[in-house]
């Protein structure tokens, strides 16, 4: 009798444990700890997730952004060389300028090479023509052009053209590098059967298969902490800002430091959180879940080549990621179009009342730089946006409309900007409303932060249906 | 496809009686009944049972005219479930006007006022503009022969119940919807242009507070046989149910009077206000002469088209116009 009870108890306990393990595997909440599935792997690694190269590029981008704001107002070849080192250089010894440790927010790595060696941004920048910028240049050419201009400005801003290079470079590079690489490369042709197959190691000796690594690299570019599903958008946002009170949530392994590889929010991860903060959208979690679902599918193939059916499912996850990632960028552009609208109206009013315009103008230019950067980034996803892109580029232009109603129209052979008469500030403000309308319509936006016409639709809803046959 | 249509149709019917933004909201109907009973019992000195029977007079509620009202209501809702998406939306108008205002004025004069002040202004503005638009379109429906051909459907009611408010030819329904979209679109655009995101509407149960007030005070009795009139001075400002019943009267001296919905000021401005006549028993309809089949669907839905076409044709046939069109240059 006793033996029988014991046997039963053991059976129950074992099955219970197995069930809970299965449940744990099914509800993978963290993008980590996926086992090694490479068939003939001989190394001692226990896990196969790896995207250090992507995190190195995030640190390069963050650092480059910091450097763009360091100009002193005159030609500065030293600064230019330093910026280029972070954009196109591969040399060892580059320190991580940002994110750097600060009080209450200690960062584990201080050198780019600690994340990954010999990485740069230029090599992974969108190679197509950038129609949103004058001069008919490729992605890397545009950024290098901007870096050269930025080096000669005072803190990244050129008041004569209204161009804020800090914002332009950062926002465009995020799209041209991270978004482009993820959606137009890893989640695109690299999901095909004959590229980086799952039946082989990615490279000889690596603990991950071709498809595993392709998927990990795409995930790395999104820029979220591996455990982002365990936190809300506000926390993920605060982590990117290096806020003390978000430290505990970020430090997943409780080692008292933020590991930039797995515990930091970067780039579009930050902007997804930014859009979601208001509670109307859930891009951050939708995208991360699709990444985890995809990674689970690949891991479950256990080192075999993916079947056509499995690849179809995987492409389904990829599509979710691509669509939502695009929306994240469009949401950011939408938000800043709203800011530029408000700034332009305020600027016009200040001009008319002879008020001090310096601060307003600076704010206007900053927001414009963000808007422009995101609008250009939207066009680097390898997908032809057609008329939408043309309209966006026309409505926004190559620079903000300046106080004398002029705007940049092109670049001459020496790389100098050409300006010409344009619309008034007020008409330009109207363009921003059209940009918001266009983005809202074409990308089915959900958050619509800073919607300048929100009140119109809210009131329209409130008044109810106009279709009334009431006859008096 | 069919299923979504059916859902939309049924929720539309439902909304007509359960959305406080609609005239036939049950709450307003109950209010109307209470007011009617109070009027009959307290002022007309009827016994309560008698008053109840007066309100629910079978000869009124089950007349051929009232049965036609019900049928028209259903057919129109069916038609509008199809038509509604094709009608110009107020949001489109609001966006267009907002952009036009900013484009032509060249500046945005943001005015600083307290939230409640803006909401009060917006609510009042919307109420007055809407009331005027209702009056003016109604006025045109009577003055232009082509429009009258369609508006006659409403006036062909011989007995009136609250449902008669929806005895409307679909062509007229489209015009009403356009009117409403224009009024709301213009108001929203103008106020958002002036006061940005501060604009709000003062509502009771989701309805414009002033419209709500109009409806709880017995707006549904306008289409009824309970001739509630106001004090004379008040009838110069607000249209009483009895005054609207005069608008439906077959007596020639009552023709083209009292076009107003809530306010009587428009009728005063256009010199067509007529105060109630407490001692006159009215008969309703277009004229005293009864046309056979006047409540048949053919008569109600198709006859207006025939008449309108005829009017247009007659106008074109006038030699002056025809020769102008065919004249060689």
């Amino acid at each position: 009798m006793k033996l029988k009870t014991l046997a039963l108890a053991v059976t129950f306990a074992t099955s219970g444990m197995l069930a809970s393990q299965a449940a744990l595997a099914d509800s993978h909440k963290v993008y980590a700890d996926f086992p090694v599935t490479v068939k003939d792997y001989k190394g001692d690694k226990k896990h196969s997730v790896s995207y250090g190269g992507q995190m190195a590029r995030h640190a390069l981008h963050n650092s480059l952004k910091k450097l763009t704001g360091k100009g002193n107002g005159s030609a500065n070849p030293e600064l230019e060389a330093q910026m280029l080192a972070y954009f196109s250089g591969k040399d060892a010894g580059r320190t991580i300028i940002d994110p750097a440790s600060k009080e209450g927010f200690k960062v584990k790595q201080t050198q780019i090479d600690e994340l990954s060696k010999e990485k740069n941004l230029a090599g992974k920048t969108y190679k197509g023509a950038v129609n949103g910028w004058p001069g008919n240049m490729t992605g890397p050419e545009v950024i290098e052009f901007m870096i050269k201009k930025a080096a000669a400005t005072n803190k990244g801003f050129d008041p004569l053209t209204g161009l804020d290079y800090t914002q332009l470079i950062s926002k465009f590079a995020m799209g041209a590098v991270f978004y482009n690489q993820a959606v137009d490369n890893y989640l695109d042709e690299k999901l095909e059967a004959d590229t980086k197959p799952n039946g082989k190691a990615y490279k000889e000796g690596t603990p991950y298969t071709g498809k595993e690594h392709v998927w990990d690299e795409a995930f790395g570019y999104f820029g979220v902490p591996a455990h982002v599903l365990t936190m809300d958008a506000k926390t993920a946002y605060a982590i990117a800002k290096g806020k003390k009170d978000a430290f505990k949530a970020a430090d997943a392994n409780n080692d008292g430091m933020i590991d930039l590889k797995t515990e930091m929010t970067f780039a579009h991860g930050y902007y997804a959180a930014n859009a979601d903060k208001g509670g109307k959208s859930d891009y951050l979690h939708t995208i991360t879940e699709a990444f985890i679902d995809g990674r689970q599918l690949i891991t479950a193939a256990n080192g075999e080549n993916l079947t056509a059916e499995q690849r179809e499912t995987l492409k389904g996850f990829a599509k979710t990621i691509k669509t939502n990632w695009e929306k994240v960028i469009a949401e950011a552009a939408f938000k800043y179009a709203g800011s530029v609208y408000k700034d332009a109206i305020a600027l016009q009013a200040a001009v008319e009342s002879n008020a001090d315009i310096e601060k307003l103008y600076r704010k206007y230019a900053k927001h414009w730089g963000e808007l422009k950067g995101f609008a250009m980034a939207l066009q680097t996803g390898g997908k032809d946006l057609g008329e939408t892109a043309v309209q966006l580029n026309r409505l926004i232009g190559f620079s903000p409309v300046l106080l004398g109603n002029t705007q940049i129209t092109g670049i001459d052979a020496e790389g100098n900007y050409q300006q010409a008469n344009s619309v008034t500030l007020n008409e330009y403000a109207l363009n921003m409303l059209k940009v918001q309308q266009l983005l809202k319509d074409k990308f089915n936006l959900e958050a619509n932060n800073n919607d300048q016409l929100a009140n119109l639709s809210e009131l329209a809803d409130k008044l109810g249906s106009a279709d009334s046959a009431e006859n008096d | 496809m069919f299923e979504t249509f059916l859902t939309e149709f049924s929720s539309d019917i439902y909304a007509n009686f359960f959305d406080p933004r609609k005239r036939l909201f049950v709450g307003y109907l109950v209010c109307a009944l209470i007011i009617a009973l109070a009027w009959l019992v307290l002022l007309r000195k009827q016994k309560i049972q008698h008053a109840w029977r007066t309100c629910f007079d079978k000869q009124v509620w089950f007349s051929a005219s009232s049965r036609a009202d019900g049928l028209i209501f259903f057919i129109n809702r069916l038609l509008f479930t199809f038509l509604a998406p094709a009608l110009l939306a107020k949001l489109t108008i609001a966006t267009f006007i907002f952009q036009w205002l900013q484009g032509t004025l060249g500046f945005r004069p943001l005015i600083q006022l307290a939230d409640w002040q803006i909401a009060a202004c917006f609510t009042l503005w919307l109420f007055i503009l809407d009331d005027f638009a209702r009056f003016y379109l109604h006025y045109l429906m009577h003055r232009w022969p082509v429009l009258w051909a369609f508006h006659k459907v409403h006036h062909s009611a011989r007995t009136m119940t609250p449902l008669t408010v929806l005895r409307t030819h679909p062509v007229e329904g489209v015009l009403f919807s356009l009117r409403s979209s224009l009024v709301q679109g213009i108001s929203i655009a103008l106020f958002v242009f002036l006061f940005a995101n501060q604009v709000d509407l003062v509502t009771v149960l989701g309805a414009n507070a002033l419209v709500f007030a109009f409806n709880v005070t017995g707006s549904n009795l306008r289409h009824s046989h309970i001739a509630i009139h106001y004090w004379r001075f008040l009838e110069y400002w607000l249209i009483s149910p009895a005054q609207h019943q005069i608008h439906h009267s077959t007596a020639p001296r009552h023709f083209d009077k009292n076009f107003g919905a809530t306010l009587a000021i428009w009728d005063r401005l256009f010199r067509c206000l007529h105060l109630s006549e407490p001692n006159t028993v009215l008969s309703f309809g277009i004229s005293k002469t009864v046309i056979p089949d006047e409540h048949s669907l053919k008569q109600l839905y198709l006859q207006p088209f025939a008449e309108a076409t005829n009017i247009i044709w007659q106008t074109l046939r006038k030699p002056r116009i025809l020769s102008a069109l065919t004249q060689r240059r």
Side-chain angles (χ1 to χ4, degrees):
Chain A
M1 187 66 186
K2 264 188 182 172
L3 196 69
K4 219 174 175 182
T5 321
L6 194 69
L8 260 173
V10 169
T11 318
F12 271 118
T14 323
S15 58
M17 269 165 68
L18 283 174
S20 68
Q21 268 181 350
L24 204 71
D26 275 345
S27 59
H28 221 113
K29 281 267 183 209
V30 182
Y31 199 100
D33 300 341
F34 287 100
V36 176
T37 63
V38 178
K39 286 284 184 233
D40 46 0
Y41 179 65
K42 303 216 171 51
D44 52 4
K45 288 271 190 317
K46 294 281 175 286
H47 302 296
S48 57
V49 175
S50 162
Y51 50 85
Q54 282 60 44
M55 299 334 262
R57 289 193 185 93
H58 279 301
L60 284 171
H61 161 251
N62 277 31
S63 302
L64 175 61
K65 186 179 177 195
K66 272 272 152 31
L67 287 173
T68 53
K70 297 249 189 262
N72 56 15
S74 52
N76 196 337
E78 207 174 306
L79 177 65
E80 186 183 319
Q82 208 185 352
M83 282 195 263
L84 287 173
Y86 281 81
F87 178 62
S88 45
K90 285 188 172 185
D91 297 347
R94 291 171 294 178
T95 52
I96 299 174
I97 302 167
D98 182 76
S101 292
K102 52 183 172 182
E103 202 208 322
F105 204 89
K106 190 169 185 254
V107 173
K108 188 176 173 185
Q109 294 87 353
T110 54
Q111 295 286 317
I112 299 286
D113 293 350
E114 288 173 60
L115 294 164
S116 186
K117 293 191 175 72
E118 296 189 1
K119 292 292 183 287
N120 72 7
L121 295 170
K124 298 287 181 187
T125 305
Y126 171 67
K127 301 290 186 295
V130 180
N131 293 323
W133 196 251
N136 202 24
M137 293 186 258
T138 65
E141 285 167 354
V142 167
I143 295 180
E144 274 175 32
F145 175 86
M146 287 178 176
I147 286 176
K148 285 197 175 104
K149 292 278 186 191
T153 61
N154 185 13
K155 296 189 176 124
F157 174 56
D158 175 12
L160 296 178
T161 54
L163 296 178
D164 181 330
Y165 292 104
T166 306
Q167 298 305 334
L168 282 165
I169 293 172
S170 168
K171 268 62 182 183
F172 176 56
M174 272 192 250
V177 182
F178 311 141
Y179 175 60
N180 170 264
Q181 279 298 303
V183 308
D184 191 25
N185 180 21
Y186 292 116
L187 301 179
D188 197 38
E189 60 256 33
K190 290 216 169 125
L191 293 187
E192 294 309 322
D194 46 0
T195 354
K196 303 290 176 199
N198 199 49
K200 277 195 225 164
Y202 182 80
K203 279 182 196 162
E204 212 179 302
T206 58
Y208 36 76
T209 69
K211 285 286 176 277
E212 281 171 348
H213 195 53
V214 161
W215 199 258
D216 289 351
E217 293 194 288
F219 173 73
Y221 278 129
F222 184 44
V224 289
H227 60 296
V228 74
L229 287 188
T230 62
M231 62 183 81
D232 60 9
K234 280 193 186 117
T235 312
Y237 177 85
I239 292 174
K241 293 253 179 209
K243 298 268 187 233
K244 265 191 249 176
D245 48 3
F247 183 84
K248 212 168 158 250
D251 187 18
N253 59 1
N254 290 317
D255 64 351
M257 301 183 274
I258 299 299
D259 187 340
L260 295 184
K261 276 188 182 173
T262 54
E263 296 172 338
M264 189 63 188
T265 313
F266 289 103
H268 293 137
Y270 167 76
Y271 281 96
N274 191 1
D276 294 349
K277 269 190 310 165
K280 281 189 273 181
S281 58
D282 194 20
Y283 300 119
L284 184 70
H285 291 157
T286 308
I287 295 173
T288 309
E289 273 163 17
F291 268 120
I292 291 180
D293 289 346
R295 189 57 162 84
Q296 278 180 315
L297 182 145
I298 301 171
T299 309
N302 207 15
E304 302 289 345
N305 279 332
L306 300 182
T307 64
E309 201 183 327
Q310 283 170 325
R311 278 193 311 103
E312 273 317 299
T313 318
L314 195 61
K315 281 182 183 174
F317 295 134
K319 196 180 167 205
T320 305
I321 296 165
K322 287 179 185 185
T323 322
N324 284 285
W325 198 326
E326 184 181 52
K327 282 190 186 192
V328 167
I329 300 174
E331 291 274 12
F334 183 92
K335 181 182 157 189
Y336 289 115
S339 303
V340 173
Y341 172 83
K342 285 196 280 192
D343 297 339
I345 298 278
L347 197 56
Q348 173 86 21
V351 169
E352 276 162 20
S353 61
N354 282 322
D356 184 17
I357 56 161
E358 199 187 329
K359 275 188 183 150
L360 284 175
Y361 180 64
R362 183 68 192 89
K363 208 167 111 188
Y364 168 61
K366 176 177 180 280
H367 288 146
W368 186 89
E370 305 194 71
L371 164 67
K372 182 68 181 170
F374 280 116
M376 287 163 70
L378 258 185
Q379 299 167 51
T380 58
K383 173 177 135 187
D384 186 4
L385 296 181
E387 201 189 353
T388 307
V390 177
Q391 283 179 325
L392 268 183
N393 294 338
R394 279 189 193 157
L395 288 168
I396 300 170
F398 293 142
S399 76
V401 165
L402 304 177
L403 297 176
N405 298 342
T406 57
Q407 214 175 1
I408 289 176
T409 51
I411 298 174
D412 68 16
E414 275 88 47
N416 300 310
Y417 292 115
Q418 295 164 321
Q419 294 193 12
N421 285 333
S422 178
V423 292
T424 63
L425 263 179
N426 192 70
E427 284 169 273
Y428 189 61
L430 203 58
N431 279 7
M432 295 303 112
L433 296 182
K434 290 179 185 161
V435 167
Q436 286 205 321
Q437 196 69 46
L438 182 70
L439 291 167
K440 194 195 270 187
D441 292 348
K442 299 291 174 185
F443 298 98
N444 296 317
L445 302 187
E446 294 159 36
N448 294 316
N449 288 328
N450 211 354
D451 185 349
Q452 291 307 304
L453 292 179
N455 208 218
L456 289 183
S457 48
E458 276 164 24
L459 286 172
D461 281 347
K462 206 163 189 174
L463 291 177
S465 158
D467 129 50
S468 145
E470 284 171 18
N471 206 325
D472 281 303
Chain B
M1 172 66 195
F2 180 71
E3 227 166 82
T4 38
F5 175 78
L6 211 65
T7 329
E8 264 173 48
F9 175 64
S10 53
S11 69
D12 183 54
I13 296 274
Y14 178 86
N16 262 290
F17 297 101
F18 293 95
D19 181 352
R21 287 178 293 197
K22 303 276 186 189
R23 177 77 62 85
L24 291 178
F25 169 60
V26 282
Y28 302 146
L29 291 172
V30 170
C31 288
L33 177 64
I34 293 169
I35 292 168
L37 288 173
W39 171 268
L40 293 172
V41 171
L42 301 175
L43 291 157
R44 288 279 167 268
K45 307 293 176 201
Q46 289 185 1
K47 285 219 167 80
I48 182 80
Q49 294 89 339
H50 184 191
W52 184 267
R53 276 201 303 276
T54 311
C55 288
F56 293 101
D57 188 340
K58 276 181 198 154
Q59 288 189 334
V60 171
W61 285 87
F62 297 105
S63 68
S65 173
S66 293
R67 277 180 280 139
D69 290 356
L71 211 54
I72 291 173
F73 168 65
F74 271 100
I75 295 173
N76 281 357
R77 290 339 297 161
L78 211 61
L79 271 174
F80 273 86
T81 313
F82 273 116
L83 275 175
L87 297 174
L88 201 51
K90 61 186 161 222
L91 188 55
T92 317
I93 297 174
T95 312
F96 175 81
I97 294 177
F98 180 86
Q99 300 191 340
W100 175 82
L101 276 172
Q102 185 157 332
T104 42
L105 279 184
F107 66 102
R108 195 168 167 192
L110 290 172
I111 301 168
Q112 301 293 321
L113 281 178
D115 283 357
W116 71 268
Q117 289 169 321
I118 298 172
C121 285
F122 181 63
T123 310
L124 188 65
W125 163 275
L126 199 63
F127 176 74
I128 292 177
L129 187 65
D130 191 55
D131 198 60
F132 173 71
R134 279 171 194 265
F135 164 83
Y136 194 64
L137 180 60
H138 191 185
Y139 181 79
L140 295 181
M141 303 289 318
H142 282 257
R143 300 301 289 262
W144 288 5
V146 176
L147 294 182
W148 172 242
F150 295 101
H151 187 52
K152 262 158 105 176
V153 172
H154 179 63
H155 278 272
S156 67
R158 292 284 177 186
T159 55
M160 298 203 289
T161 73
L163 198 59
T164 311
V165 78
L166 299 181
R167 184 185 177 108
T168 301
H169 192 278
V171 168
E172 216 186 346
V174 171
L175 292 176
F176 288 167
S177 150
L178 194 65
R179 173 204 69 203
S180 190
S181 290
L182 269 174
V183 166
Q184 297 184 355
I186 290 171
S187 307
I188 293 172
L190 185 68
F191 272 75
V192 172
F193 182 70
L194 294 176
F195 304 105
N197 285 356
Q198 250 183 311
V199 189
D200 202 356
L201 183 74
V202 183
T203 58
V204 181
L205 298 180
N208 181 325
L210 294 171
V211 176
F212 179 85
F214 169 60
N215 284 329
V216 287
T217 49
S219 65
N220 278 304
L221 294 170
R222 299 157 61 85
H223 294 113
S224 79
H225 51 290
I226 315 292
I228 292 180
H229 62 84
Y230 299 156
W231 297 286
R232 285 178 68 82
F233 81 91
L234 192 58
E235 287 194 341
Y236 283 103
W237 294 97
L238 299 172
I239 302 273
S240 69
Q243 276 175 295
H244 189 70
Q245 287 157 15
I246 279 187
H247 175 73
H248 279 268
S249 160
T250 50
R253 71 172 193 285
H254 293 151
F255 287 175
D256 290 348
K257 302 287 182 201
N258 300 349
F259 297 108
T262 310
L263 300 174
I265 52 174
W266 318 120
D267 282 296
R268 267 159 71 192
L269 274 174
F270 284 71
R271 301 188 185 288
C272 44
L273 185 73
H274 194 105
L275 302 190
S276 60
E277 299 173 10
N279 299 318
T280 315
V281 177
L282 302 173
S283 70
F284 304 138
I286 299 162
S287 73
K288 283 212 164 59
T289 333
V290 176
I291 313 165
D293 291 341
E294 62 180 7
H295 301 298
S296 75
L297 288 181
K298 186 180 156 217
Q299 182 70 24
L300 294 168
Y301 278 87
L302 301 180
Q303 185 61 21
F305 285 112
E307 260 176 57
T309 321
N310 194 30
I311 293 163
I312 294 167
W313 177 238
Q314 292 298 334
T315 319
L316 286 177
R317 265 185 54 191
K318 279 183 186 159
R320 201 162 39 86
I321 295 174
L322 209 64
S323 61
L325 284 173
T326 52
Q327 205 171 34
R328 288 194 184 174
R329 287 176 193 277

